[in-house]
Amino acid sequence: MSRVLVGVKRVVDYAVKVRVKPDKTGVDLANVKMSMNPFCELAVEEAVKLREAGKIQEVVAVSIGPAPATETLRTALAMGADRGIHVQTNDDLQPLSVAKVFAALAKKEQPQLVILGKQAIDGDYNQTGQMLAGLLDWPQATCANKVEIEGDGAKVIREIDGGLDTVKLKFPAVVTADLRLNTPRFATLPNIMKAKKKKIDTVSPKDLGVDVTPRLKILSVEEPPSRKAGVKVADVDELIAKLKEKGAL
Amino acid sequence: GKALVVAEHTDGKLSSATLNAITAAKKFGDVTVLVAGNEKAKSAADAVSKISGVNKVVFAANDKYANGLAEHYAVLIKSLQEKNQYSHIVAGSTAFGKNILPRVGAKLDVQPISDVVSIKDEKTFIRPIYAGNALATLESADSVKLLTVRTTSFEKAAEGGSAAVENFQGPVDDKASIEFVGQEIIKNDRPDLTAASIVVSGGRALKSAENFKIIYDLADKLNAAVGASRAAVDAGYAPNDLQVGQTGKVVAPSLYIAAGISGAVQHVAGMKESKTIVAINKDPEAPIFQIADFGLVADLFKAVPEMTQKLSK
């Protein structure tokens, strides 16, 4: 059966302004709204579209994290994923470990394609897809803007600085989703109800034989230096005068 | 220590991000620069050999390296690392660098560090997280450190060197099931967004792609690059490659003019390092005013053309 694995990460909602903890060990996650990482939503949408178009048969959503990660999996299932895998851990996995978990799952599930978001909006690394492709020796197409299935592979248009690249890759492969890939659907109430009946398997990184020891030690997390508000100007003339005075024009 | 910088170039023209990466790499010791590509890349290798602080240039000629495919670059860089045991491998935090370095990390079993904005010492680095709302200081336990560096955080290395260029027959990934089809670079006569000294950006308040013309007109008057907020890009008013923000381009020009941009966290993360910020917005409560040096509460459809016109005189 042809299959796509998609990654879904539970992160602080993109609209929340995060606060750094006073002890500088991280950001405060208590009572903060959590959502599916927006780039993961794009990945789910793309996978579900491929199944709806008959290009693949099954979409398997994977989330790594503590117990509430199953909520994010339920969202993916409500968007149309067929089943879920919850890789349960309380450790905060760095991208290399996440990639190793996905590599282990890919060996088990034998997908044609793994679609991930290009980055998660918490750590902002933009690495996992590339690392997964490297671990598996699969081709990679990062920052995808368009994916077209062609025979036993895909043509992918990628966002690059100042334009677009087009690559053709053969399956199995890794694709990461960029903003313009699609418009993710909202989960409808009937689909949310249906999603409750879909299957979620639970495994641990240890079950998969993955060592998740972090390579990067976080010494501190701090607020960035803040910028002070300047002055309001009355009109365009004053604006131009101020800019000239400051040497900015 | 000794560092390897992975050079980025297009048709033999060295990308300026490489110069920022060289400056970062100099902090670690000797600097070797890898230039890979087809024969055209030789001119980039020659150009980088004249950059101050570069000790050696490794030129790897092969058509397979010509289009920046990470599959081939990763095996090439891995082989150089096994041969020369660099302490650091550095690239610019660009689409090119971010595509390649993590794959190298997987090959070397190393956790790379992306978007480095500051280097504390040879193993301690600062990078933004949460769209720039926090700065994390990290210590790497890996034997070789893989870094992509924010170009706006490191000066461009200047000319003034004379390093030897050494040819290297590097490996390619023979099994790579990927093929480069083509590239479409959006041509314009304006300065590059990430390199421009003035940027004029428009937001959702522009209301249409046609209305963005007033932003282009002001930009042309100032010889500035044009940027856009994610809201404007999502609405289809401006192409994606103009997006300034955490998920778009990070810019730090001497003057940034934000017109009709409310100042969402994600946009501010991409421009708050600008030297002077101007905000034009009709909503006096818009958060952009909290970071602007000069704020003008006005209708942008009046203020922007007026500014263009008054600067003509």
Side-chain angles (χ1 to χ4, degrees), chain A residues 119-195:
Chain A
Q119 71 191 67
I121 61 165
D122 48 6
D124 286 330
Y125 281 99
N126 189 339
Q127 294 177 344
T128 302
Q130 297 88 307
M131 299 186 91
L132 172 62
L135 291 173
L136 294 169
D137 257 322
W138 289 4
Q140 69 184 55
T142 52
C143 305
N145 163 297
K146 195 173 182 192
V147 177
E148 276 179 89
I149 305 293
E150 287 184 352
D152 59 347
K155 187 166 100 175
V156 182
I157 301 180
R158 304 178 48 231
E159 305 269 357
I160 56 161
D161 297 328
L164 300 166
D165 261 2
T166 303
V167 293
K168 265 189 192 173
L169 34 80
K170 284 220 162 67
F171 296 145
V174 177
V175 167
T176 72
D178 210 330
L179 278 182
R180 291 197 299 179
L181 182 59
N182 56 50
T183 308
R185 69 193 67 190
F186 290 103
T188 60
L189 190 59
N191 285 339
I192 292 169
M193 300 311 288
K194 262 190 247 168

Side-chain angles (χ1 to χ4, degrees), chain A residues 49 64 79 86 92 97 129 160 175 179 185 199-200 213-214 231 235 240:
Chain A
K49 266 172 54 188
I64 305 172
M79 286 174 74
H86 176 205
D92 191 13
S97 301
I160 56 161
V175 167
L179 278 182
R185 69 193 67 190
K199 194 172 148 220
I200 295 179
T213 312
V231 295
D235 51 32
I240 292 173

Side-chain angles (χ1 to χ4, degrees), chain A residues 24-26 92 94 125 216-221, chain B residues 136-139:
Chain A
K24 298 183 180 178
T25 56
D92 191 13
Q94 291 173 354
Y125 281 99
L216 303 175
K217 187 169 147 198
I218 297 166
L219 301 181
S220 75
V221 173
Chain B
T137 304
L138 307 166
E139 188 182 281

Side-chain angles (χ1 to χ4, degrees), chain A residues 127 137 142 165 215 227 230 233, chain B residues 99 109 111 272 274 292 295:
Chain A
Q127 294 177 344
D137 257 322
T142 52
D165 261 2
R215 304 294 183 83
R227 247 191 120 100
V233 293
Chain B
N99 190 44
D109 194 30
Q111 170 60 60
K272 68 179 161 58
S274 306

Side-chain angles (χ1 to χ4, degrees), chain A residues 77-90:
Chain A
L77 297 175
M79 286 174 74
D82 299 288
R83 62 186 167 92
I85 299 174
H86 176 205
V87 182
Q88 191 161 9
T89 172
N90 290 323

Side-chain angles (χ1 to χ4, degrees), chain A residues 13 48 83 105 159 173 178 191 201-202 205 212 232:
Chain A
D13 188 87
V48 171
R83 62 186 167 92
L105 286 171
E159 305 269 357
D178 210 330
N191 285 339
D201 289 320
T202 303
V212 298
K232 289 261 169 67

